[in-house]
């Protein structure tokens, strides 16, 4: 049985303030750190062990991973960090309050920017101080740094990374942990469960809650489940109706 565990980072400072985050490099809140610790504890209690971990180059995901691995006494395992696992880029919305933006542009427009797989938010101007193109962590990919993304754009880079980095590890029977972001994990869920079009629009990925995929030798899902119940019940089960044995534990 091949298993891969996906974890969205713990609550970030922008999550707590209800701000669009995207590629903005925001740290965890104290609550987010506790969510990460609890995720590590749950994984350890359920006897999970990992051979390799993957994460983005954003500190909220990196710190979540560190805390999880520390809780599991696995800080020594190899970790690969990649911009391809970064959160979806929210363009000119980054740093703006979601409620205020909805009042300005209308809830329907903002919902489309947030949830549609094909609609991009307004682009960020490259002269804007928020533009990440001059950040040293992206010095080798400056021409690829986005100014806005939809979920399809995000999925393309995430799946490239999945196929180039993660799939080979899974085929080698390495036990894999991925700590990333809400939209990068949504992109993986959409791919793994073959969810069509905007069928992913209602799926929310909870912070700090391990999502386990059990895969066959062909890396197709046999079942998937959360290791801890959460209150925000727009669950994987709701977004993947018809898939086999979907449940939340």
């Amino acid at each position: 049985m091949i298993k891969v565990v996906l974890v969205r980072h713990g609550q970030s400072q922008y999550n707590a303030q209800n701000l669009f985050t995207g590629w903005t490099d925001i740290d965890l809140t104290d609550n987010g750190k506790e969510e990460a610790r609890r995720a590590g504890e749950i994984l350890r209690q359920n006897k999970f062990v990992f051979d390799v971990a993957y994460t983005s180059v954003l500190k909220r995901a990196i710190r979540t991973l560190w805390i999880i691995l520390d809780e599991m006494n696995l800080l020594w395992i190899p970790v690969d960090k990649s911009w391809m696992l970064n959160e979806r880029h929210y363009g000119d919305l980054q740093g703006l309050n979601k409620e205020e933006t909805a009042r300005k542009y209308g809830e329907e427009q903002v919902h489309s920017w947030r949830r549609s797989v094909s609609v991009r938010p307004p682009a960020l101007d490259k002269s804007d101080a928020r533009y990440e193109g001059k950040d040293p962590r992206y010095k080798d990919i400056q021409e690829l740094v986005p100014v806005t993304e939809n979920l399809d754009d995000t999925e393309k880079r995430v799946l490239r990374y999945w196929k180039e980095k993660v799939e080979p590890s899974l085929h080698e029977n390495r036990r894999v942990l991925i700590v990333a972001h809400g939209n990068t994990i949504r992109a993986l869920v959409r791919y793994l469960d073959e969810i069509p079009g905007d069928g992913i629009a209602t799926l929310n990925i909870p912070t700090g809650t391990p999502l386990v995929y059990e895969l066959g030798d062909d890396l197709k899902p046999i079942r998937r489940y959360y290791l801890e119940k959460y209150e925000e019940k727009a669950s994987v089960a709701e977004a993947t109706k018809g898939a086999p044995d979907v449940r939340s534990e």
Side-chain angles (χ1 to χ4, degrees), residues 93-118:
L93 300 182
Q94 293 188 166
L96 302 185
N97 181 276
K98 294 175 183 177
E99 289 185 5
E100 292 175 0
T101 304
R103 286 196 292 270
K104 180 177 180 180
Y105 294 102
E107 291 185 5
E108 185 176 344
Q109 177 63 76
V110 172
H111 179 77
S112 179
W113 283 335
R114 293 183 66 188
R115 293 300 187 180
S116 172
V117 299
S118 58

Side-chain angles (χ1 to χ4, degrees), residues 101-211:
T101 304
R103 286 196 292 270
K104 180 177 180 180
Y105 294 102
E107 291 185 5
E108 185 176 344
Q109 177 63 76
V110 172
H111 179 77
S112 179
W113 283 335
R114 293 183 66 188
R115 293 300 187 180
S116 172
V117 299
S118 58
V119 177
R120 298 184 182 96
L124 187 65
D125 194 286
K126 289 187 177 182
S127 64
D128 194 299
R130 294 171 293 169
Y131 176 60
E132 298 86 358
K134 295 182 180 180
D135 190 306
R137 80 192 80 186
Y138 306 118
K139 62 183 176 63
D140 295 329
I141 59 144
Q142 287 186 5
E143 71 284 358
L144 298 176
V145 174
V147 291
T148 185
E149 287 183 312
N150 57 34
L151 190 63
D152 279 336
D153 299 325
T154 308
E155 185 175 284
K156 285 178 183 177
R157 58 176 167 84
V158 171
L159 293 188
R160 176 185 164 195
Y161 187 81
W162 172 269
K163 293 177 184 299
E164 291 179 359
K165 292 283 190 175
V166 181
E167 282 192 355
S169 289
L170 294 173
H171 282 306
E172 293 168 2
N173 292 317
R174 302 178 82 188
R175 296 162 293 185
V176 168
L177 170 64
I178 300 175
V179 177
H181 305 265
N183 280 300
T184 47
I185 293 176
R186 287 174 75 230
L188 283 174
V189 169
R190 183 187 179 204
Y191 168 72
L192 289 170
D193 288 310
E194 299 180 346
I195 301 172
D198 281 337
I200 200 73
T202 60
L203 175 64
N204 294 315
I205 304 296
T207 53
T209 307
L211 172 57

Side-chain angles (χ1 to χ4, degrees), residues 189-245:
V189 169
R190 183 187 179 204
Y191 168 72
L192 289 170
D193 288 310
E194 299 180 346
I195 301 172
D198 281 337
I200 200 73
T202 60
L203 175 64
N204 294 315
I205 304 296
T207 53
T209 307
L211 172 57
V212 182
Y213 269 81
E214 295 182 357
L215 310 174
D217 291 340
D218 58 357
L219 301 188
K220 299 294 185 182
I222 297 170
R223 66 172 185 157
R224 79 287 292 145
Y225 51 91
Y226 285 102
L227 284 180
E228 182 180 59
K229 291 183 179 179
Y230 64 104
E231 294 178 357
E232 196 176 345
K233 282 298 183 181
S235 68
V236 174
E238 293 168 351
T240 57
K241 289 178 181 177
D245 192 23

Side-chain angles (χ1 to χ4, degrees), residues 15-139:
N15 291 150
Q17 297 171 52
N18 199 30
L19 306 180
F20 288 100
T21 312
W23 282 33
T24 310
D25 200 17
I26 296 301
D27 211 341
L28 300 178
T29 62
D30 288 342
N31 182 59
K33 293 173 185 176
E34 176 58 24
E35 287 180 332
R37 188 203 65 77
R38 176 63 178 157
E41 180 183 48
I42 291 167
L43 287 163
R44 176 172 47 79
Q45 289 174 346
N46 282 273
K47 303 187 186 308
F48 278 82
V49 178
F50 300 105
D51 301 304
V52 62
Y54 302 94
T55 191
S56 73
V57 296
L58 298 172
K59 70 174 70 173
R60 59 191 185 273
I62 296 170
R63 197 176 306 282
T64 298
L65 176 60
W66 285 351
I67 294 170
I68 289 173
L69 294 181
D70 188 35
E71 187 68 27
M72 300 180 73
N73 196 28
L74 289 174
L75 279 171
W76 55 272
I77 68 170
V79 173
D80 190 79
K81 304 182 188 76
S82 174
W83 69 274
M84 286 188 278
L85 291 180
N86 276 15
E87 176 60 286
R88 170 189 172 190
H89 198 292
Y90 270 102
D92 196 41
L93 300 182
Q94 293 188 166
L96 302 185
N97 181 276
K98 294 175 183 177
E99 289 185 5
E100 292 175 0
T101 304
R103 286 196 292 270
K104 180 177 180 180
Y105 294 102
E107 291 185 5
E108 185 176 344
Q109 177 63 76
V110 172
H111 179 77
S112 179
W113 283 335
R114 293 183 66 188
R115 293 300 187 180
S116 172
V117 299
S118 58
V119 177
R120 298 184 182 96
L124 187 65
D125 194 286
K126 289 187 177 182
S127 64
D128 194 299
R130 294 171 293 169
Y131 176 60
E132 298 86 358
K134 295 182 180 180
D135 190 306
R137 80 192 80 186
Y138 306 118
K139 62 183 176 63

